[in-house]
Amino acid sequence: MKDLNALNTHELRAFFDSFDHVLCDVHGVLWNVLETIPGAAAAVASLQNLGKTFIVVSNNTTATLDDYHHDFTSKGFPIKRENIVTPIQTTISYLKKQNFSKEVFVLGTHPLKKSLRDAGFRIAERGPLEIKETFHALAAASTEDDGSVGAVVADIDLNVNYVNLQKAVTFLKRPEVIFIRGTGDARFGVGLDRVVMGPGVFHAIVEECSGREPVSVAKPAPFANEFIVEKYKIGDASRVLFIGDSIPSDMGFATKFGYKKLLVLSGLTKEGALEDWKFPEEYRPDYFVDSLKSVHDLIGRI
Amino acid sequence: MKDLSTLTVPELEDFFSSFDHVLTDIDGVVWNLLHGIPGANHALKSLENLNKQIIFISNNTTRSADALETRLKAEGFDLQTINHVSPAPAMIDYLQKQNFTKTNKRIFVIGMTPLRQALIEAGFKLAENGPDRVKESVAEYASLCIAEDDSVGAVIADIDINLNSVNMQKALTFLLRKDVLFLSGAPDMKYPLDKERFLIGPGAFVTILELTSGRKPISMAKPNTNLHDFVAEKYKIGDPSRVLFVGDTVLEDMAFAANCGYKKLLVFSGLSNRSCVEEWTFPEEYKPDFYAESLKSVHEAVLRVFGQKDSSK
């Protein structure tokens, strides 16, 4: 593990020549919950100026691609719209590959549903927000299946409720119904140091009661990698630099798919974790750096 | 395990004199969700005529005491006294024993109107639940979920047909304070609709709260014996072996009865069928003392021993 700031000019040139694509996580790298990380936007610009394709890989499904792109631009990040990857894009890609034409039942946000509609998919009706307080009513609202649903997508759904979880279970009883999981963390990754239930705890109920396992399309699932490799025509994974702040999820993902690894210390992970390494040996990053600001400064040096 | 219908008259006489109280599960024993069970009404009436105290017990809090009485009347159950136990009165009793009203704190309830009303009538104050629908903003959702409320002193996690994630999150927030009491109702992870289909059970949500809070609730539902403590005190049951428990499931009813030391009658009019006694795959201690097709068999047994003069009419 080499500290980028400790490399000499020759080593730095070799480093910057060793990759053509950058895959970059968002939280802890470009910004934290409340503010952008100083120098990060400049680093994006200078990496692009070096001819690198700068691709953001995020598990944020609470914004459409347009809104998310607008978000980056307004914060000063010169990221291209076609270089943003979220589970919304991978979900759409997965369904298209299946030549999917039936209805999709979505445990997810309005932006996810809108994006699916814009991609030409029909969205199945959700169960009501409130029903009569009997199991009769629950069964009536959630156990009918006329066969028109062909896929269930489980993602972040801030309004998830009993009826809709049950509807998902009902549709998944048919083995031909596709089961896709987008963002499905067990804990909410909003940078809070408090326990907040993530969408994953509710997905687990659907999996348990239906007996079905979903195909995961969010980082770090293999399909997310397949999508990236195909879309950006990545021939050699070692020519990709993955930048992230989490050892288990970012460094884990990068290790699995053979990317070069740069760990930044501006988010979830601090220097202490490097000295007192508690993770699988193979997750060790090739390089680490305090933040993207240093990357920008180092580009200035070469 | 003895088939009730194969007992001799002397054996049946012993059977009927071995208990004073009948503690009977409702769904699957007294009736099913969508249709009645023939003979159940005669059975309970004839047992009442034999001076057995009939007590209905159920984990199902979607049904209020009034609703139970209404359906009992409508289906020809003509009992002199209707005794009803569910997690609701047991929770109230528990909180009263904790002097909860003295703390002046509020209860955050994941549960439905019959439970809420019972709590309010018992003098408890309830905290507000989250909205039915929240704006899809992660930041707003997060701040709603983690908002502290020191006025909350207890969380009840029971059956809630309209359960949503906001209320689960709020419950979790309160449970992170160790001084907040944590009570739970029905623990079922699944309710079978038929051979292949299941409804998600309320226990699935209680389990999420346990896993994320790291806390185990005080369960006031079968098969936990907390419910027995309540029943025994309320109905002055000194000797649990003088209780005949009638149920339709092994893991909830027979387990409960075993834990409490009751006599056990397993009927096949609900979730269990004969195959489970033909080849017993459950813990030994859950084996029922007796089994029968349904409560109708009990009525037939009464007639065999006591003749038509016992008639439940």
Side-chain angles (χ1 to χ4, degrees), chain A residues 60 62 108-111 113 126 128-139 142-145 156-163 165-167 169-170 173 186 188-190 192 194-198 201-202 205-206 208-211, chain B residues 33-34 60 62-63 111-114 116 131-139 141-143 145-148 159-166 168-169 172-173 176 189-191 193 196-202 204-205 208-209 212-213:
Chain A
N60 181 358
T62 60
T109 60
H110 178 73
K113 286 182 270 198
R126 260 169 95 83
L129 280 176
E130 204 180 324
I131 56 173
K132 190 155 164 262
E133 289 180 334
T134 64
F135 279 109
H136 258 123
L138 177 67
S142 64
T143 57
E144 291 295 309
D145 183 5
I156 293 177
D157 181 354
L158 304 183
N159 285 302
V160 71
N161 66 4
Y162 207 160
V163 171
L165 288 169
Q166 185 64 50
K167 281 176 81 86
V169 169
T170 296
K173 256 304 149 198
F188 232 114
V190 288
L192 299 167
R194 255 285 325 277
V195 182
V196 181
M197 295 168 190
V201 301
F202 299 103
I205 292 181
V206 173
E208 173 60 38
C209 208
S210 67
Chain B
L33 199 60
L34 299 172
N60 185 354
T62 64
R63 169 178 46 218
M112 297 173 301
T113 307
R116 288 167 192 280
D132 281 336
R133 180 169 188 80
V134 291
K135 198 169 144 230
E136 285 182 342
S137 146
V138 170
Y141 174 81
S143 56
C145 298
I146 66 170
E148 280 290 355
I159 303 174
D160 182 3
I161 301 288
N162 287 306
L163 178 146
N164 66 16
S165 82
V166 171
M168 289 288 290
Q169 301 278 17
L172 173 60
T173 296
L176 294 176
M189 297 296 281
K190 292 179 191 170
Y191 286 131
L193 277 173
E196 285 154 5
R197 297 182 307 154
F198 297 99
L199 279 182
I200 297 166
F205 301 107
I208 290 182
L209 288 174
T212 49
S213 69

Side-chain angles (χ1 to χ4, degrees), chain A residues 3-22:
Chain A
D3 183 349
L4 269 191
N5 279 313
L7 297 184
N8 62 41
T9 313
H10 174 74
E11 288 166 324
L12 276 176
R13 284 209 183 100
F15 167 71
F16 286 110
D17 281 341
S18 71
F19 58 92
D20 309 309
H21 294 88
V22 175

Side-chain angles (χ1 to χ4, degrees), chain B residues 82-127:
Chain B
I82 298 194
N83 300 306
H84 177 215
V85 174
S86 79
M91 287 176 182
I92 289 169
D93 182 69
Y94 179 89
L95 289 167
Q96 283 167 342
K97 289 199 159 76
Q98 301 289 314
N99 288 319
F100 189 78
T101 19
K102 284 211 172 60
T103 64
N104 226 14
K105 298 246 178 192
R106 304 195 293 170
I107 307 175
F108 183 79
V109 179
I110 292 178
M112 297 173 301
T113 307
L115 172 62
R116 288 167 192 280
Q117 261 171 13
L119 288 163
I120 290 168
E121 277 160 27
F124 297 106
K125 289 180 291 180
L126 306 189

Side-chain angles (χ1 to χ4, degrees), chain B residues 112-262:
Chain B
M112 297 173 301
T113 307
L115 172 62
R116 288 167 192 280
Q117 261 171 13
L119 288 163
I120 290 168
E121 277 160 27
F124 297 106
K125 289 180 291 180
L126 306 189
E128 277 113 42
N129 282 74
D132 281 336
R133 180 169 188 80
V134 291
K135 198 169 144 230
E136 285 182 342
S137 146
V138 170
E140 275 185 43
Y141 174 81
S143 56
L144 182 65
C145 298
I146 66 170
E148 280 290 355
D149 183 351
D150 286 335
S151 76
V152 170
V155 168
I156 292 179
D158 189 42
I159 303 174
D160 182 3
I161 301 288
N162 287 306
L163 178 146
N164 66 16
S165 82
V166 171
N167 286 313
M168 289 288 290
Q169 301 278 17
K170 285 174 76 77
L172 173 60
T173 296
F174 303 136
L175 287 174
L176 294 176
R177 274 190 291 120
K178 296 282 183 250
D179 57 294
V180 169
L181 295 175
F182 184 15
L183 301 183
S184 67
D188 311 73
M189 297 296 281
K190 292 179 191 170
Y191 286 131
L193 277 173
D194 53 43
K195 281 196 175 51
E196 285 154 5
R197 297 182 307 154
F198 297 99
L199 279 182
I200 297 166
F205 301 107
V206 178
T207 303
I208 290 182
L209 288 174
E210 284 183 55
L211 290 174
T212 49
S213 69
R215 294 183 57 177
K216 279 209 142 5
I218 296 159
S219 172
M220 303 304 298
K222 294 181 289 173
N224 198 292
T225 53
N226 288 330
L227 200 51
H228 162 71
D229 295 339
F230 172 73
V231 170
E233 194 186 306
K234 178 166 181 175
Y235 297 102
K236 301 186 184 9
I237 296 172
D239 177 4
S241 71
R242 299 292 304 172
V243 173
L244 177 70
F245 188 95
V246 188
D248 70 317
T249 67
V250 175
L251 291 175
E252 195 167 281
D253 295 330
M254 298 299 106
F256 178 62
N259 293 340
C260 301
Y262 302 145

